[in-house]
Amino acid sequence: MKSLNQLMLGSKAAVIVVDVQNDYCHPEGALPQAGCNVSGVVAMMPKLYKLLHTARELNVPIIFIQTLHEKATDSDAWTTRSSGRSANVCRRGSWGAEFYELSPQEDDIIVNKHRYSAFVNTRLDSVLKTLKIETLIMTGVSTNVCVESTARDGFMLDYHIVLAADACASYSQTAHEMTLENIEGYFGKVTDVAQLLDIWMDKTPEEPLRPMSAAQPAIG
C-alpha cells in the first residue's frame, strides 16, 4: 500500500470540497434551522481555509462540489428521504444553495450534483480524468453522508482517497468519527490538515519528496 507521502506527492492530487453551502453550514440555513448542530462546521473552517490557501499556492486543483435541487431532479425516492425534511434544501437559485464563507476562484472548478455522491450523474469523473488526478483529498460536509458517499464512489472508480479529518464536519461527533474509522479501514487514509501541509511543504523527514508546485503546472 502506498504511503501518505506517495499519495500526496507521487500521484497527482486534487482537493474536493463537498457541500460547503449555506443550507448545510450557515446558522440560518435549512438544516441548522431544523436543529442540526453546526459547531463542527465552525471548528473546521479555519483548517479548510488554510488547506485551500496552500493548495492554490502549490497549484493543486480545487474542485468545489455544489448541491443543487430542482423539480427536474426531485424523484419521489429523493424528496421523501429523511421523512421529507430535506425536500427544500439547496434549491437552484436560492441563498441556501450558495457557498458558505468560501468563494471559488477563477481557476477552481465547480461540479454540480443532485444526490449525496458527487460521482452520480455528474461530470466529476470526466474532470478528474482530464486533469489526470489520482488522489482525492476529501473535505467538506457532512462527513458521514455526502463526503463519505463521494469518497466511497471515488475509491470504487480507482482513485486514492485521503480524508482530511479536521477539514470535514458532521452534525454529530459520533457520526464524524464513524466515517473516519470506516474510511481508514476500507477506503483510504485519514489524516489532518497539518500533516498534509507538512508533506506538501516537504517537511516530512523520512521521504524528502518535491512539493507539488515543482511537478504540476497551474490549471487554467
Side-chain angles (χ1 to χ4, degrees), residues 120-211:
V120 173
N121 297 326
T122 75
R123 67 191 183 113
L124 179 58
D125 192 43
S126 293
V127 168
L128 294 171
K129 284 183 168 57
T130 299
L131 296 175
K132 297 180 172 58
I133 298 299
E134 299 175 14
T135 297
L136 309 183
I137 304 167
M138 301 300 306
T139 70
V141 296
S142 65
T143 315
N144 61 306
V145 184
C146 294
V147 176
E148 182 172 349
S149 294
T150 302
R152 282 170 172 255
D153 283 352
F155 174 76
M156 297 299 181
L157 291 169
D158 295 323
Y159 295 100
H160 298 291
I161 302 299
V162 175
L163 186 78
D166 55 352
C168 296
S170 190
Y171 301 122
S172 81
Q173 187 62 24
T174 299
H176 178 77
E177 291 175 356
M178 286 172 59
T179 290
L180 304 188
E181 181 177 351
N182 212 25
I183 294 295
E184 185 69 48
Y186 302 100
F187 301 104
K189 293 186 179 293
V190 175
T191 186
D192 57 28
V193 169
Q195 186 174 13
L196 294 179
L197 299 189
D198 279 349
I199 292 171
W200 275 347
M201 301 309 294
D202 202 12
K203 294 179 181 177
T204 305
E206 70 272 15
E207 292 185 59
L209 300 174
R210 60 185 177 176

Coordinates of all heavy atoms in Angstrom, one line a residue, residues 120-211:
V120 N -22.4 10.7 -8.9 CA -23.7 10.2 -9.5 C -24.2 11.2 -10.5 O -24.6 12.3 -10.1 CB -24.7 9.8 -8.4 CG1 -26.0 9.5 -9.1 CG2 -24.2 8.7 -7.6
N121 N -24.2 10.8 -11.8 CA -24.8 11.7 -12.8 C -24.2 13.1 -12.9 O -24.9 14.1 -13.1 CB -26.3 11.8 -12.7 CG -27.0 10.4 -12.8 OD1 -26.6 9.6 -13.6 ND2 -28.1 10.2 -12.1
T122 N -22.9 13.2 -12.7 CA -22.2 14.5 -12.8 C -21.0 14.3 -13.7 O -20.7 13.2 -14.2 CB -21.7 14.9 -11.4 OG1 -20.5 14.2 -11.1 CG2 -22.7 14.8 -10.3
R123 N -20.3 15.4 -13.9 CA -19.1 15.4 -14.8 C -17.8 15.2 -14.0 O -16.7 15.3 -14.6 CB -19.0 16.7 -15.5 CG -18.7 18.0 -14.7 CD -18.9 19.3 -15.5 NE -18.6 20.4 -14.6 CZ -17.6 21.2 -14.9 NH1 -16.8 21.0 -15.9 NH2 -17.4 22.3 -14.1
L124 N -17.9 14.9 -12.7 CA -16.7 14.9 -11.8 C -15.7 13.9 -12.4 O -14.5 14.2 -12.4 CB -17.1 14.5 -10.4 CG -15.9 14.4 -9.4 CD1 -15.1 15.7 -9.4 CD2 -16.4 14.0 -8.0
D125 N -16.1 12.7 -12.7 CA -15.1 11.7 -13.2 C -14.4 12.2 -14.4 O -13.2 12.0 -14.6 CB -15.8 10.4 -13.4 CG -14.8 9.2 -13.6 OD1 -13.8 9.1 -12.9 OD2 -15.0 8.4 -14.5
S126 N -15.1 12.8 -15.4 CA -14.5 13.3 -16.6 C -13.5 14.4 -16.3 O -12.4 14.5 -16.9 CB -15.6 13.9 -17.5 OG -16.4 12.8 -18.0
V127 N -13.9 15.3 -15.4 CA -12.9 16.4 -15.0 C -11.7 15.8 -14.4 O -10.5 16.2 -14.7 CB -13.6 17.3 -14.0 CG1 -12.6 18.3 -13.3 CG2 -14.7 18.1 -14.6
L128 N -11.8 14.8 -13.5 CA -10.6 14.2 -12.8 C -9.7 13.5 -13.8 O -8.5 13.6 -13.8 CB -11.1 13.3 -11.7 CG -11.8 13.9 -10.6 CD1 -12.4 12.8 -9.7 CD2 -10.9 14.8 -9.8
K129 N -10.4 12.8 -14.8 CA -9.6 12.1 -15.8 C -8.9 13.1 -16.7 O -7.7 12.9 -17.1 CB -10.5 11.2 -16.6 CG -10.8 9.9 -15.8 CD -11.6 8.9 -16.6 CE -11.7 7.5 -16.0 NZ -12.3 7.6 -14.6
T130 N -9.5 14.2 -17.0 CA -8.9 15.2 -17.9 C -7.7 15.8 -17.2 O -6.6 16.0 -17.8 CB -9.9 16.3 -18.2 OG1 -11.0 15.8 -18.9 CG2 -9.3 17.4 -19.0
L131 N -7.8 16.0 -15.9 CA -6.6 16.6 -15.1 C -5.6 15.5 -14.7 O -4.6 15.8 -14.1 CB -7.2 17.3 -13.9 CG -8.1 18.5 -14.1 CD1 -8.6 19.0 -12.7 CD2 -7.3 19.6 -14.8
K132 N -5.9 14.2 -15.1 CA -5.1 13.1 -14.7 C -4.9 13.0 -13.2 O -3.8 12.7 -12.7 CB -3.7 13.2 -15.4 CG -3.8 13.1 -16.9 CD -2.5 13.2 -17.6 CE -2.6 12.9 -19.1 NZ -3.6 13.8 -19.8
I133 N -5.9 13.2 -12.4 CA -5.9 13.2 -11.0 C -6.0 11.7 -10.5 O -6.7 10.9 -11.1 CB -7.1 13.9 -10.4 CG1 -7.0 15.4 -10.7 CG2 -7.2 13.7 -8.9 CD1 -5.8 16.1 -10.2
E134 N -5.2 11.4 -9.5 CA -5.1 10.0 -9.0 C -5.6 10.0 -7.5 O -6.0 8.9 -7.1 CB -3.7 9.5 -9.1 CG -3.2 9.3 -10.5 CD -1.8 8.9 -10.6 OE1 -1.2 8.4 -9.6 OE2 -1.2 9.0 -11.7
T135 N -5.4 11.1 -6.8 CA -5.7 11.1 -5.4 C -6.7 12.2 -5.1 O -6.5 13.3 -5.5 CB -4.4 11.3 -4.5 OG1 -3.5 10.2 -4.7 CG2 -4.7 11.4 -3.0
L136 N -7.7 11.9 -4.3 CA -8.8 12.8 -3.9 C -8.6 13.2 -2.4 O -8.6 12.3 -1.6 CB -10.2 12.3 -4.1 CG -10.5 11.7 -5.5 CD1 -11.9 11.2 -5.6 CD2 -10.1 12.6 -6.6
I137 N -8.3 14.4 -2.2 CA -8.2 14.9 -0.8 C -9.6 15.4 -0.4 O -10.1 16.4 -0.9 CB -7.2 16.0 -0.6 CG1 -5.8 15.6 -1.1 CG2 -7.1 16.5 0.8 CD1 -4.8 16.7 -1.3
M138 N -10.3 14.6 0.4 CA -11.7 14.9 0.7 C -11.9 15.9 1.9 O -11.3 15.7 3.0 CB -12.4 13.6 1.0 CG -12.4 12.5 -0.1 SD -13.2 13.1 -1.6 CE -14.8 13.6 -1.0
T139 N -12.8 16.9 1.7 CA -13.1 17.8 2.7 C -14.6 18.2 2.6 O -15.2 17.8 1.6 CB -12.3 19.2 2.5 OG1 -12.7 19.9 1.4 CG2 -10.8 18.9 2.4
G140 N -15.1 18.9 3.6 CA -16.5 19.4 3.4 C -17.5 18.8 4.4 O -17.1 18.2 5.5
V141 N -18.8 18.8 4.0 CA -19.9 18.4 4.9 C -20.9 17.6 4.1 O -20.9 17.7 2.8 CB -20.6 19.6 5.5 CG1 -19.7 20.4 6.5 CG2 -21.2 20.5 4.5
S142 N -21.6 16.7 4.7 CA -21.3 16.3 6.1 C -20.4 15.0 5.9 O -20.6 14.3 5.0 CB -22.6 16.0 6.9 OG -23.3 14.9 6.3
T143 N -19.6 14.8 6.9 CA -18.6 13.8 6.8 C -19.2 12.4 6.5 O -18.7 11.7 5.6 CB -17.8 13.7 8.2 OG1 -17.5 15.0 8.6 CG2 -16.6 12.8 8.0
N144 N -20.3 12.1 7.2 CA -20.9 10.8 7.1 C -21.9 10.6 6.0 O -22.4 9.5 5.8 CB -21.5 10.4 8.5 CG -22.6 11.3 8.8 OD1 -22.4 12.6 8.8 ND2 -23.8 10.8 9.1
V145 N -22.2 11.6 5.3 CA -23.2 11.5 4.2 C -22.6 11.8 2.8 O -22.1 10.9 2.1 CB -24.4 12.4 4.5 CG1 -25.5 12.1 3.4 CG2 -25.0 12.1 5.8
C146 N -22.5 13.1 2.5 CA -22.0 13.4 1.1 C -20.5 13.2 1.0 O -20.1 12.8 -0.1 CB -22.4 14.8 0.8 SG -24.2 15.0 0.6
V147 N -19.7 13.5 2.0 CA -18.3 13.3 1.9 C -18.0 11.8 1.8 O -17.2 11.4 0.9 CB -17.6 14.0 3.1 CG1 -16.1 13.6 3.0 CG2 -17.8 15.5 3.1
E148 N -18.6 11.1 2.7 CA -18.3 9.6 2.6 C -18.9 9.0 1.3 O -18.2 8.1 0.7 CB -18.9 8.9 3.8 CG -18.6 7.4 3.9 CD -19.0 6.7 5.1 OE1 -19.3 7.4 6.1 OE2 -19.0 5.5 5.2
S149 N -20.0 9.4 0.9 CA -20.6 8.8 -0.3 C -19.7 9.1 -1.5 O -19.5 8.2 -2.3 CB -22.0 9.4 -0.6 OG -22.9 9.0 0.4
T150 N -19.2 10.3 -1.6 CA -18.3 10.7 -2.7 C -17.0 9.9 -2.6 O -16.4 9.4 -3.6 CB -18.0 12.2 -2.7 OG1 -19.3 12.9 -2.8 CG2 -17.1 12.6 -3.8
A151 N -16.4 9.8 -1.4 CA -15.2 9.1 -1.2 C -15.3 7.6 -1.5 O -14.5 7.0 -2.2 CB -14.7 9.2 0.3
R152 N -16.4 7.0 -1.1 CA -16.6 5.6 -1.4 C -16.7 5.4 -3.0 O -16.1 4.5 -3.5 CB -18.0 5.1 -0.8 CG -17.9 4.8 0.7 CD -19.3 4.6 1.2 NE -19.4 4.1 2.5 CZ -19.7 2.8 2.9 NH1 -19.9 1.9 1.9 NH2 -19.7 2.5 4.1
D153 N -17.5 6.2 -3.6 CA -17.6 6.0 -5.1 C -16.3 6.3 -5.8 O -15.9 5.7 -6.8 CB -18.7 7.0 -5.6 CG -20.1 6.4 -5.4 OD1 -20.2 5.3 -4.9 OD2 -21.1 7.2 -5.6
G154 N -15.5 7.3 -5.3 CA -14.2 7.6 -5.8 C -13.3 6.4 -5.7 O -12.6 6.0 -6.7
F155 N -13.3 5.7 -4.6 CA -12.5 4.6 -4.4 C -12.9 3.5 -5.3 O -12.1 2.8 -5.9 CB -12.6 4.1 -2.9 CG -11.9 2.8 -2.7 CD1 -10.5 2.7 -2.6 CD2 -12.6 1.6 -2.6 CE1 -9.9 1.5 -2.3 CE2 -12.0 0.4 -2.3 CZ -10.6 0.3 -2.2
M156 N -14.2 3.3 -5.5 CA -14.7 2.2 -6.4 C -14.3 2.5 -7.9 O -14.2 1.6 -8.7 CB -16.2 2.1 -6.3 CG -16.7 1.7 -5.0 SD -16.1 0.1 -4.5 CE -16.9 -0.1 -2.9
L157 N -14.0 3.8 -8.2 CA -13.6 4.2 -9.5 C -12.0 4.2 -9.6 O -11.5 4.8 -10.5 CB -14.2 5.5 -9.9 CG -15.7 5.5 -10.1 CD1 -16.2 6.9 -10.3 CD2 -16.0 4.7 -11.4
D158 N -11.4 3.7 -8.6 CA -9.9 3.5 -8.5 C -9.1 4.8 -8.3 O -7.9 4.9 -8.6 CB -9.4 2.9 -9.8 CG -9.9 1.4 -10.0 OD1 -10.0 0.8 -8.9 OD2 -10.2 1.0 -11.1
Y159 N -9.7 5.8 -7.6 CA -9.0 6.9 -7.1 C -8.5 6.6 -5.7 O -9.2 5.9 -4.9 CB -9.9 8.2 -7.0 CG -10.3 8.7 -8.4 CD1 -11.6 8.4 -8.9 CD2 -9.4 9.4 -9.2 CE1 -12.0 8.8 -10.1 CE2 -9.8 9.8 -10.5 CZ -11.1 9.5 -10.9 OH -11.5 9.9 -12.2
H160 N -7.3 7.1 -5.3 CA -6.8 7.0 -4.0 C -7.6 8.1 -3.1 O -7.8 9.2 -3.6 CB -5.3 7.3 -3.9 CG -4.5 6.3 -4.6 ND1 -4.4 5.0 -4.2 CD2 -3.8 6.4 -5.8 CE1 -3.6 4.4 -5.1 NE2 -3.2 5.2 -6.0
I161 N -8.0 7.7 -1.9 CA -8.8 8.6 -1.1 C -7.9 9.0 0.1 O -7.4 8.1 0.9 CB -10.1 7.9 -0.6 CG1 -10.9 7.5 -1.8 CG2 -10.8 8.8 0.3 CD1 -11.4 8.6 -2.7
V162 N -7.8 10.3 0.4 CA -7.2 10.9 1.6 C -8.3 11.8 2.2 O -8.7 12.8 1.6 CB -6.0 11.6 1.3 CG1 -5.4 12.3 2.6 CG2 -4.9 10.7 0.7
L163 N -8.7 11.4 3.4 CA -9.8 12.2 4.1 C -9.1 13.2 5.1 O -8.4 12.7 6.0 CB -10.7 11.3 4.8 CG -11.9 12.0 5.5 CD1 -13.0 12.4 4.4 CD2 -12.6 11.2 6.6
A164 N -9.3 14.5 4.9 CA -8.7 15.4 5.9 C -9.7 15.6 7.0 O -10.7 16.4 6.9 CB -8.5 16.8 5.1
A165 N -9.5 14.9 8.1 CA -10.5 14.8 9.2 C -10.9 16.1 9.7 O -12.1 16.3 10.0 CB -9.9 13.9 10.3
D166 N -10.0 17.0 9.9 CA -10.3 18.3 10.6 C -10.7 19.4 9.6 O -11.0 20.5 9.9 CB -9.2 18.8 11.5 CG -7.8 18.9 10.8 OD1 -7.7 18.5 9.6 OD2 -6.9 19.5 11.4
A167 N -10.8 19.0 8.3 CA -11.4 19.9 7.3 C -12.7 19.3 6.8 O -13.2 19.7 5.7 CB -10.5 20.1 6.1
C168 N -13.3 18.4 7.6 CA -14.6 17.8 7.3 C -15.5 18.1 8.6 O -14.9 18.2 9.7 CB -14.6 16.3 7.1 SG -13.7 15.9 5.6
A169 N -16.8 18.1 8.5 CA -17.6 18.2 9.6 C -18.9 17.5 9.4 O -19.4 17.3 8.3 CB -18.0 19.7 9.9
S170 N -19.5 17.0 10.5 CA -20.8 16.3 10.5 C -21.6 17.0 11.6 O -21.1 17.9 12.3 CB -20.6 14.8 10.9 OG -21.8 14.2 10.6
Y171 N -22.9 16.6 11.7 CA -23.7 17.2 12.7 C -23.7 16.5 14.0 O -24.4 16.9 14.9 CB -25.2 17.3 12.1 CG -25.3 18.1 10.8 CD1 -25.8 17.5 9.7 CD2 -24.8 19.4 10.8 CE1 -25.8 18.2 8.5 CE2 -24.9 20.1 9.6 CZ -25.4 19.5 8.4 OH -25.4 20.2 7.3
S172 N -22.9 15.5 14.1 CA -22.6 14.9 15.4 C -21.2 14.3 15.4 O -20.7 13.8 14.3 CB -23.6 13.8 15.7 OG -23.3 12.5 15.1
Q173 N -20.5 14.4 16.5 CA -19.1 13.9 16.6 C -19.1 12.4 16.4 O -18.2 11.8 15.8 CB -18.5 14.2 17.9 CG -17.0 13.9 18.1 CD -16.2 14.7 17.1 OE1 -16.5 15.7 16.6 NE2 -15.0 14.1 16.7
T174 N -20.1 11.7 16.9 CA -20.2 10.2 16.7 C -20.2 9.9 15.2 O -19.5 9.0 14.8 CB -21.4 9.7 17.4 OG1 -21.3 9.9 18.8 CG2 -21.5 8.1 17.2
A175 N -21.1 10.5 14.5 CA -21.2 10.3 13.0 C -19.9 10.6 12.3 O -19.5 9.8 11.4 CB -22.4 11.1 12.4
H176 N -19.3 11.7 12.7 CA -18.0 12.1 12.1 C -17.0 11.0 12.3 O -16.3 10.5 11.4 CB -17.5 13.4 12.7 CG -16.2 13.9 12.3 ND1 -16.0 14.5 11.0 CD2 -15.0 13.9 12.9 CE1 -14.8 14.8 10.9 NE2 -14.1 14.5 12.0
E177 N -16.8 10.5 13.6 CA -15.8 9.5 13.9 C -16.1 8.2 13.3 O -15.2 7.4 12.9 CB -15.7 9.4 15.4 CG -15.1 10.7 16.1 CD -15.1 10.6 17.6 OE1 -15.6 9.6 18.1 OE2 -14.6 11.6 18.2
M178 N -17.4 7.8 13.1 CA -17.7 6.6 12.4 C -17.2 6.6 11.0 O -16.6 5.5 10.5 CB -19.2 6.4 12.4 CG -19.8 6.0 13.8 SD -21.6 6.0 13.7 CE -22.0 4.8 12.4
T179 N -17.3 7.7 10.3 CA -16.8 7.8 8.9 C -15.2 7.7 8.9 O -14.7 7.0 8.1 CB -17.2 9.0 8.2 OG1 -18.6 8.9 8.0 CG2 -16.5 9.3 6.9
L180 N -14.6 8.3 9.9 CA -13.1 8.2 9.9 C -12.7 6.8 10.1 O -11.7 6.4 9.4 CB -12.6 9.1 11.1 CG -12.9 10.6 11.1 CD1 -12.1 11.3 12.2 CD2 -12.7 11.2 9.8
E181 N -13.3 6.1 10.9 CA -13.0 4.7 11.1 C -13.3 3.9 9.9 O -12.5 3.0 9.5 CB -13.8 4.1 12.3 CG -13.5 2.6 12.6 CD -14.2 2.1 13.8 OE1 -14.9 2.9 14.5 OE2 -14.2 0.9 14.0
N182 N -14.4 4.1 9.2 CA -14.8 3.4 8.0 C -13.8 3.7 6.9 O -13.4 2.7 6.2 CB -16.2 3.8 7.6 CG -17.0 2.6 7.0 OD1 -16.7 1.5 7.2 ND2 -17.9 3.0 6.2
I183 N -13.5 4.9 6.7 CA -12.5 5.3 5.6 C -11.2 4.6 5.8 O -10.6 4.0 4.9 CB -12.4 6.8 5.4 CG1 -13.7 7.4 5.0 CG2 -11.3 7.1 4.4 CD1 -14.2 7.0 3.6
E184 N -10.7 4.8 7.0 CA -9.3 4.2 7.4 C -9.3 2.7 7.2 O -8.3 2.1 6.8 CB -9.0 4.6 8.8 CG -7.6 4.2 9.2 CD -6.5 5.0 8.5 OE1 -6.6 6.2 8.4 OE2 -5.5 4.3 8.0
G185 N -10.4 2.1 7.5 CA -10.5 0.6 7.5 C -10.6 0.0 6.1 O -10.1 -1.0 5.8
Y186 N -11.3 0.8 5.2 CA -11.7 0.1 3.9 C -11.5 1.0 2.7 O -11.4 0.4 1.6 CB -13.2 -0.2 4.0 CG -13.5 -1.2 5.1 CD1 -14.1 -0.7 6.2 CD2 -13.3 -2.5 5.0 CE1 -14.4 -1.5 7.3 CE2 -13.6 -3.4 6.0 CZ -14.2 -2.9 7.2 OH -14.5 -3.7 8.2
F187 N -11.4 2.3 2.8 CA -11.5 3.1 1.6 C -10.3 4.0 1.3 O -10.2 4.6 0.2 CB -12.8 3.9 1.6 CG -14.0 3.1 1.6 CD1 -14.7 3.0 2.8 CD2 -14.5 2.4 0.5 CE1 -15.9 2.2 2.9 CE2 -15.6 1.6 0.5 CZ -16.3 1.5 1.7
G188 N -9.5 4.2 2.3 CA -8.3 5.2 2.1 C -7.6 5.5 3.3 O -7.5 4.6 4.2
K189 N -7.1 6.7 3.4 CA -6.3 7.1 4.5 C -6.9 8.3 5.2 O -7.6 9.2 4.5 CB -4.9 7.5 4.1 CG -4.0 6.3 3.7 CD -2.6 6.6 3.4 CE -1.8 5.4 3.0 NZ -1.7 4.4 4.1
V190 N -6.8 8.4 6.5 CA -7.3 9.6 7.3 C -6.2 10.3 7.9 O -5.2 9.7 8.4 CB -8.3 9.1 8.4 CG1 -8.7 10.3 9.2 CG2 -9.5 8.4 7.8
T191 N -6.1 11.7 7.7 CA -5.1 12.5 8.2 C -5.7 13.8 8.7 O -6.9 14.0 8.7 CB -4.0 12.6 7.2 OG1 -2.8 13.3 7.8 CG2 -4.4 13.4 6.0
D192 N -4.8 14.8 9.0 CA -5.3 16.1 9.3 C -4.6 17.1 8.4 O -3.6 16.8 7.7 CB -5.1 16.4 10.8 CG -3.7 16.3 11.3 OD1 -2.7 16.5 10.5 OD2 -3.5 16.0 12.5
V193 N -5.0 18.3 8.5 CA -4.5 19.4 7.6 C -3.0 19.7 7.8 O -2.2 19.8 6.9 CB -5.3 20.7 7.7 CG1 -4.7 21.8 7.0 CG2 -6.8 20.5 7.1
A194 N -2.6 19.7 9.1 CA -1.2 20.0 9.4 C -0.3 19.0 8.8 O 0.7 19.3 8.2 CB -1.0 19.9 10.9
Q195 N -0.7 17.7 8.8 CA 0.2 16.7 8.2 C 0.2 16.8 6.6 O 1.3 16.7 6.0 CB -0.3 15.3 8.5 CG 0.7 14.2 8.0 CD 0.3 12.8 8.5 OE1 -0.8 12.6 9.1 NE2 1.2 11.8 8.4
L196 N -0.9 17.1 6.1 CA -0.9 17.4 4.6 C -0.1 18.5 4.2 O 0.7 18.4 3.2 CB -2.4 17.6 4.2 CG -3.4 16.5 4.3 CD1 -4.8 16.9 3.8 CD2 -2.9 15.3 3.5
L197 N -0.1 19.6 5.0 CA 0.7 20.8 4.7 C 2.2 20.5 4.8 O 3.0 20.9 4.1 CB 0.3 22.0 5.5 CG -1.2 22.4 5.3 CD1 -1.4 23.8 6.1 CD2 -1.6 22.6 3.9
D198 N 2.5 19.7 5.9 CA 3.9 19.3 6.1 C 4.4 18.5 4.9 O 5.6 18.7 4.4 CB 4.1 18.5 7.3 CG 4.1 19.3 8.6 OD1 4.3 20.5 8.5 OD2 4.0 18.8 9.7
I199 N 3.6 17.6 4.4 CA 4.0 16.8 3.2 C 4.2 17.7 2.0 O 5.2 17.6 1.3 CB 3.0 15.7 2.9 CG1 3.0 14.7 4.1 CG2 3.3 15.0 1.6 CD1 1.9 13.6 4.0
W200 N 3.2 18.6 1.7 CA 3.3 19.5 0.6 C 4.5 20.4 0.7 O 5.2 20.6 -0.4 CB 2.1 20.3 0.5 CG 0.9 19.7 -0.2 CD1 1.0 18.5 -1.0 CD2 -0.4 20.1 -0.3 NE1 -0.3 18.2 -1.5 CE2 -1.1 19.2 -1.1 CE3 -1.1 21.2 0.3 CZ2 -2.5 19.3 -1.3 CZ3 -2.5 21.3 0.1 CH2 -3.2 20.4 -0.7
M201 N 4.8 20.8 1.9 CA 6.0 21.7 2.0 C 7.3 21.0 2.2 O 8.3 21.6 2.5 CB 5.7 22.7 3.2 CG 4.4 23.5 3.0 SD 4.3 24.4 1.4 CE 5.7 25.5 1.6
D202 N 7.2 19.7 2.0 CA 8.4 18.8 2.0 C 9.1 18.9 3.4 O 10.4 19.0 3.5 CB 9.4 19.3 0.9 CG 10.4 18.2 0.5 OD1 10.2 17.1 0.9 OD2 11.3 18.6 -0.2
K203 N 8.3 18.7 4.5 CA 8.9 18.8 5.8 C 9.0 17.4 6.5 O 9.4 17.3 7.6 CB 8.1 19.7 6.7 CG 8.2 21.2 6.3 CD 7.4 22.1 7.2 CE 7.5 23.5 6.7 NZ 6.6 24.4 7.5
T204 N 8.5 16.4 5.7 CA 8.5 15.1 6.3 C 9.8 14.4 6.2 O 10.3 14.2 5.0 CB 7.4 14.2 5.7 OG1 6.1 14.9 5.8 CG2 7.3 12.8 6.4
P205 N 10.6 14.1 7.2 CA 12.0 13.8 7.1 C 12.3 12.4 6.4 O 13.2 12.3 5.7 CB 12.4 13.7 8.6 CG 11.2 13.5 9.4 CD 10.1 14.2 8.6
E206 N 11.4 11.4 6.6 CA 11.7 10.1 6.0 C 11.6 10.0 4.5 O 12.2 9.1 3.9 CB 10.9 9.0 6.7 CG 9.4 9.0 6.3 CD 8.6 9.8 7.2 OE1 9.1 10.7 7.9 OE2 7.3 9.7 7.2
E207 N 10.9 10.9 3.9 CA 10.7 10.9 2.4 C 10.9 12.3 1.9 O 9.9 13.0 1.7 CB 9.4 10.3 2.0 CG 9.2 8.8 2.4 CD 7.9 8.3 1.9 OE1 7.7 8.3 0.7 OE2 7.1 7.8 2.7
P208 N 12.1 12.7 1.5 CA 12.3 14.0 1.0 C 11.8 14.2 -0.4 O 12.6 14.3 -1.4 CB 13.8 14.2 1.1 CG 14.4 12.8 0.9 CD 13.3 11.9 1.6
L209 N 10.5 14.3 -0.6 CA 9.9 14.4 -1.9 C 9.7 15.8 -2.3 O 9.5 16.7 -1.4 CB 8.6 13.6 -2.0 CG 8.7 12.1 -1.7 CD1 7.4 11.4 -1.7 CD2 9.6 11.4 -2.7
R210 N 9.7 16.1 -3.6 CA 9.5 17.5 -4.0 C 8.1 18.0 -3.8 O 7.1 17.2 -3.9 CB 9.8 17.6 -5.5 CG 9.0 16.8 -6.4 CD 9.5 16.8 -7.8 NE 8.7 15.9 -8.6 CZ 8.9 15.8 -10.0 NH1 9.8 16.6 -10.6 NH2 8.2 15.0 -10.7
P211 N 7.8 19.3 -3.5 CA 6.5 19.8 -3.4 C 5.8 19.8 -4.8 O 6.4 19.8 -5.8 CB 6.7 21.2 -2.9 CG 8.1 21.6 -3.4 CD 8.9 20.3 -3.3

